[in-house]
Amino acid sequence: QERMDLLYRIFMAEDKYINDEGCLIFPEEKEVLQLLYEKYPLFIVTNAGSGYIETFYKTTGFQPVSF
């Protein structure tokens, strides 16, 4: 139980940090993804925890697109 409590505290601290500081993206990432989006369907595939993708959208300005 002690390990689970520690993991929970770590995940919560990481989530707060990402929400406060934002997600880092590569230079010109938005432009490159826009060019790719115009030619190919793009998907996010991740094993990240719940809320990471939403935080990514919120802190980078990217928006999900539905088909």
Side-chain angles (χ1 to χ4, degrees), residues 18-67:
I18 291 171
N19 272 295
D20 292 347
E21 301 297 323
C23 297
L24 299 175
I25 61 172
F26 292 100
E28 301 178 25
E29 184 172 345
K30 288 183 181 184
E31 294 82 2
V32 170
L33 288 174
Q34 181 62 42
L35 289 171
L36 289 170
Y37 173 72
E38 291 170 7
K39 284 187 89 169
Y40 307 101
L42 302 178
F43 304 90
I44 294 177
V45 179
T46 181
N47 65 348
S50 176
Y52 272 57
I53 299 305
E54 294 80 4
T55 301
F56 175 81
Y57 286 141
K58 183 178 98 178
T59 62
T60 62
F62 284 101
Q63 295 296 317
V65 177
S66 299
F67 292 97

